[in-house]
Amino acid sequence: MEVTTRELWTLIHGMGFGAIFLLAFAGGLAGLYSFKPEWVTVSGINERARRLQIGMWVLAAVVWLTVITGTWVVYPWYRAAPPAGIDTKVAAQLLNYPRYFLLASKTTAEWHTFGMEWKEHVAWLAPIAATVVAFVTSHYGATLSKHPQIRRAAAIFFILAFVAAAAAGAFGAFITKAAPLH
Amino acid sequence: MANENKITITTKAEQIELADVANGPVNASFIAAGIGAAALGLIIPLSEALPAFKTFLTWDKGVGPLSGKTIIPTVLFFIVWAVLGILWKGKNTTTRTAVTIGLVGFAIGLIGSFPPVFEAFTAK
């Protein structure tokens, strides 16, 4: 049993950073939604504000790390062109070149032309939205509980971050299954 | 026989006074996010329509044009946020307008990054 460097980075990118954000999303959204003065005590409101700030900044950092490792570490291996002499129409010769492996067959081509093409772009919306949410929580602190309009806006941006990350994450999982990086 | 024991729960009624903060920097972040997202949604179809632009966006050989396509919106997001954040520090602006700009920008970003949409612009 062994894990190659490429497999390890794919794991760090998807099952590490990416999964942390997707799994923690529900907790973050619940935290934003329930941050109402009528639902917490004074000591509770300060603790909740601090927890939201730390949680949202950690999630923002994690989603930045997800897209940075995905684009700058894993993606170049995915899109690397095979050397001269390898027939790009023969899938069996392209196992180390996932992009070309997928494109070699009509039955798998759409994992690249739709799946990867969507994933590689839409994912970058997630860290932008998540950073805004983190900033909102630290700028307002405990007073965020008295600003329902801002809290609603932050929740919408947080959901947008999740939608972008979930689309990218789902296709990442499918593509890795169809054409794993070795 | 049913258990008729009852429990009384009393919660604390307290008050706290906190200094409110101006919304300018937060509204700046909503607008900056919208501009960054919209930039992503516009750069992608544009790079499909203009092969020379796509080549220009290839700032890293390994990553290809995706390098430029993602760095430009990200940098734009931080620059717009910094500029508006400085200009609006300590000031109150209209949140509804800022959020609307942010959400319209994200709509452009989501639409422009969807393959059937940007591939419709691919130069033949």
Side-chain angles (χ1 to χ4, degrees):
Chain A
M1 191 174 85
E2 67 167 341
V3 177
T4 66
T5 305
R6 291 179 181 196
E7 287 167 342
L8 183 64
W9 273 108
T10 308
L11 205 69
I12 291 168
H13 160 70
M15 291 299 292
F17 298 136
I20 289 172
F21 179 77
L22 294 174
L23 290 172
F25 164 77
L29 189 65
L32 275 176
Y33 173 77
S34 63
F35 198 43
K36 302 173 180 180
E38 62 270 29
W39 286 6
V40 283
T41 61
V42 165
S43 53
I45 219 163
N46 285 320
E47 188 275 335
R48 288 278 301 275
R50 206 163 26 254
R51 188 148 43 96
L52 258 184
Q53 286 168 33
I54 294 168
M56 290 302 182
W57 278 115
V58 167
L59 287 187
V62 158
V63 78
W64 277 112
L65 288 170
T66 309
V67 295
I68 289 168
T69 54
T71 301
W72 292 89
V73 180
V74 178
Y75 183 64
W77 293 326
Y78 168 84
R79 74 185 289 273
I86 289 184
D87 188 346
T88 55
K89 290 186 179 69
V90 182
Q93 293 184 29
L94 300 163
L95 293 175
N96 290 323
Y97 307 94
R99 178 181 185 271
Y100 292 86
F101 173 82
L102 294 174
L103 290 173
S105 166
K106 276 183 184 171
T107 59
T108 55
E110 271 190 285
W111 285 121
H112 173 76
T113 58
F114 180 78
M116 181 52 96
E117 290 284 1
W118 192 25
K119 165 191 165 59
E120 71 190 38
H121 294 114
V122 77
W124 280 85
L125 294 174
I128 293 176
T131 304
V132 167
V133 179
F135 179 68
V136 166
T137 60
S138 59
H139 181 77
Y140 280 98
T143 63
L144 181 62
S145 60
K146 289 291 281 182
H147 292 281
Q149 187 190 25
I150 297 283
R151 224 174 43 242
R152 263 196 306 275
I156 292 169
F157 275 87
F158 198 47
I159 291 168
L160 284 171
F162 176 77
V163 169
F171 275 103
F174 285 132
I175 292 164
T176 303
K177 185 147 176 59
L181 266 173
H182 297 293
Chain B
M1 192 173 151
N3 186 349
E4 291 181 3
N5 290 341
K6 290 181 179 169
I7 294 171
T8 305
I9 298 173
T10 309
T11 57
K12 285 188 259 181
E14 300 168 305
Q15 267 195 340
I16 184 173
E17 281 196 22
L18 297 167
D20 204 2
V21 290
N23 65 17
V26 159
N27 287 342
S29 74
F30 290 142
I31 292 173
I35 289 173
L40 181 72
L42 295 173
I43 281 176
I44 300 166
L46 201 62
S47 71
E48 290 295 318
L50 305 169
F53 183 53
K54 195 171 195 172
T55 307
F56 162 76
L57 292 170
T58 305
W59 297 353
D60 180 89
K61 204 178 164 192
V63 180
L66 185 62
S67 51
K69 281 190 275 188
T70 55
I71 288 174
I72 291 172
T74 303
V75 170
L76 204 58
F77 162 60
F78 283 111
I79 289 175
V80 172
W81 185 11
V83 170
L84 289 181
I86 290 167
L87 288 174
W88 292 348
K89 192 177 178 187
K91 292 179 183 167
N92 281 306
T93 57
T94 315
T95 297
R96 182 180 285 273
T97 307
V99 172
T100 303
I101 293 170
L103 294 182
V104 168
F106 264 83
I108 294 169
L110 286 169
I111 293 167
S113 61
F114 194 58
V117 173
F118 68 73
E119 281 165 5
F121 292 87
T122 305
K124 304 289 181 227

